């Protein structure tokens, strides 16, 4: 893991079971956990967004008035940098943590709003309920294989959108999102599309694409959608599938090599995505001669 996150390291010393983890663009990491019958005190030098996936009804937080619960599926807990919280997990809990450095959160805010406040903090929120947060992690984060390079763009996009929402709704500034009108210039769009074509084998992130346009991830994603009528991660997956179909039909390359050339490190994951896109597995399409 690129960064050392205190909350992550602390959980590993307790009874929590780590099921999955992935480092995304600088300053963001996702981790999927489960826990039961454990007591933990967290104090960290980074921000943690905890998303309850299943159970959690018997998760208690220590307050001045005693232990209070309020967890359950789709509840979230936002623990800002330098906040301290104590937990008593009395029964099953499955959750995802999003870890973010303060530098990265500040960078997200400054890039989107072009403002640099003297004080930039997140507000603690325990057992919260937010339909926008639920939709983002249920649709984008839970639904894909974190270890597949081809999914890095989807995961980084969702994480950036989550951080943007936190700044907008749960920070001391609560800035209104700027209006983005118009798409990318033809010159910039050509450069971005060319970069994508040349790097379909690589684990592209939203930051990679935004850098080609010299824009924040937020502005790039919205301007790209204006230009192409689809989100960047949708376009990249479409191009990967088109390249894969061409290689399957017109070359004798082994399917494992085609998978790698199109950004998939697993032949089975590649085959599943290909079948969803075309109705046939790669081997079926090759055998059909279509």
């Amino acid at each position: 893991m690129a960064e050392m996150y205190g909350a992550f390291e602390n959980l590993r010393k307790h009874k929590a079971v780590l099921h999955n983890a992935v480092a995304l663009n600088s300053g963001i990491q996702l981790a999927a956990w489960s826990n039961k019958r454990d007591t933990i005190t967290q104090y960290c030098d980074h921000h943690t967004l905890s998303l309850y996936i299943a159970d959690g009804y018997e998760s208690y937080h220590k307050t001045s008035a005693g232990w209070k619960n309020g967890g359950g599926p789709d509840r979230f807990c936002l623990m800002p940098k330098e906040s301290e919280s104590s937990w008593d997990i009395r029964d099953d809990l499955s959750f995802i943590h999003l870890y973010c450095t303060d530098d990265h959160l500040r960078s997200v805010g400054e890039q989107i709003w072009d403002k640099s406040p003297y004080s930039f903090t997140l507000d603690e929120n325990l057992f919260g309920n937010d339909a926008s947060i639920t939709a983002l992690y249920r649709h984008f984060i839970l639904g894909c294989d974190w270890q597949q390079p081809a999914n890095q763009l989807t995961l980084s996009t969702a994480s950036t959108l989550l951080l943007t929402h936190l700044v907008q709704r749960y920070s001391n500034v609560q800035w209104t999102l700027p209006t983005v009108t118009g798409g990318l210039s033809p010159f910039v769009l050509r450069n971005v599309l060319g970069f994508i074509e040349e790097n379909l084998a690589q684990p592209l992130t939203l930051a990679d694409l935004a850098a080609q346009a010299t824009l924040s991830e937020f502005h790039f994603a919205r301007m790209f959608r204006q230009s192409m009528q689809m989100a960047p991660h949708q376009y990249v997956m479409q191009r990967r599938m088109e390249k894969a179909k061409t290689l399957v039909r017109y070359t004798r390359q082994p399917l494992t090599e085609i998978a790698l050339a199109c950004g998939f490190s697993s032949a089975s994951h590649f085959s599943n995505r290909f079948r969803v896109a075309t109705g046939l597995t790669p081997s079926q399409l090759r055998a059909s001669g279509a």
Side-chain angles (χ1 to χ4, degrees), residues 5-285:
Y5 293 92
F8 181 88
E9 297 301 326
N10 191 27
L11 279 175
R12 294 183 79 173
K13 297 173 184 174
H14 288 76
K15 295 179 182 177
V17 177
L18 178 66
H19 299 280
N20 207 350
V22 61
L24 300 171
N25 40 338
S26 175
I28 300 179
Q29 180 182 315
L30 292 171
W33 301 92
S34 62
N35 205 354
K36 185 178 184 178
R37 299 196 185 100
D38 201 2
T39 54
I40 301 168
T41 295
Q42 293 278 31
Y43 176 82
C44 305
D45 63 351
H46 58 82
H47 307 293
T48 302
L49 175 63
S50 182
L51 308 163
Y52 283 32
I53 306 305
D55 303 310
Y57 303 105
E58 292 297 308
S59 299
Y60 289 78
H61 171 251
K62 190 174 185 179
T63 73
S64 57
W67 293 94
K68 303 291 184 183
N69 68 335
D74 297 334
R75 295 288 175 172
F76 74 91
C77 296
L78 177 57
M79 293 158 282
K81 174 186 176 183
E82 296 178 355
S83 64
E84 182 171 288
S85 55
S86 294
W87 303 87
D88 186 358
I89 313 301
R90 301 178 189 177
D91 209 341
D92 293 323
L93 169 63
S94 296
F95 58 102
I96 286 176
H97 271 178
L98 185 156
Y99 307 117
C100 173
T101 63
D102 193 59
D103 285 346
H104 188 78
L105 184 74
R106 181 178 288 272
S107 174
V108 168
E110 290 176 357
Q111 287 176 15
I112 293 171
W113 286 276
D114 195 26
K115 298 177 182 177
S116 183
Y118 172 74
S119 173
F120 189 89
T121 57
L122 289 179
D123 302 323
E124 186 176 77
N125 194 307
L126 302 177
F127 305 127
N129 194 9
D130 187 314
S132 295
I133 289 176
T134 298
L136 277 170
Y137 79 80
R138 287 278 177 193
H139 183 69
F140 291 107
I141 294 176
L142 284 187
C144 68
D145 182 345
W146 293 4
Q147 302 310 317
Q148 278 302 315
N151 291 331
Q152 289 286 296
L153 183 53
T154 300
L155 291 170
S156 65
T157 299
S159 297
T160 295
L161 288 173
L162 279 170
L163 294 182
T164 302
H165 186 72
L166 294 183
V167 172
Q168 187 187 7
R169 290 286 306 278
Y170 302 103
S171 75
N172 63 319
V173 292
Q174 295 194 349
W175 292 321
T176 302
L177 280 175
T179 302
V180 176
T181 58
L184 301 169
S185 72
F187 173 76
V188 169
L189 183 60
R190 277 197 306 274
N191 282 350
V192 170
L193 298 185
F195 178 80
I196 290 171
E197 291 299 318
E198 292 169 10
N199 291 278
L200 289 175
Q202 305 305 316
L204 295 168
T205 67
L206 191 60
D208 295 331
L209 303 186
Q212 298 303 308
T214 325
L215 289 167
S216 73
E217 294 169 41
F218 171 84
H219 286 90
F220 171 78
R222 277 153 180 73
M223 293 170 76
F224 186 94
R225 184 184 281 276
Q226 290 271 4
S227 294
M228 300 300 294
Q229 282 71 59
M230 67 180 74
H233 72 273
Q234 293 172 319
Y235 176 82
V236 170
M237 186 57 70
Q238 183 184 91
R239 295 307 306 154
R240 285 183 164 134
M241 288 296 100
E242 287 301 317
K243 180 177 181 178
K245 282 191 286 186
T246 298
L247 293 175
V248 169
R249 280 177 172 144
Y250 304 116
T251 77
R252 303 311 302 168
Q253 263 186 277
L255 297 181
T256 50
E257 289 184 11
I258 294 175
L260 291 172
C262 297
F264 297 90
S265 61
S266 158
S268 61
H269 183 242
F270 166 62
S271 182
N272 289 337
R273 292 305 293 256
F274 193 93
R275 180 172 50 79
V276 169
T278 67
L280 298 170
T281 65
S283 55
Q284 287 171 337
L285 180 64

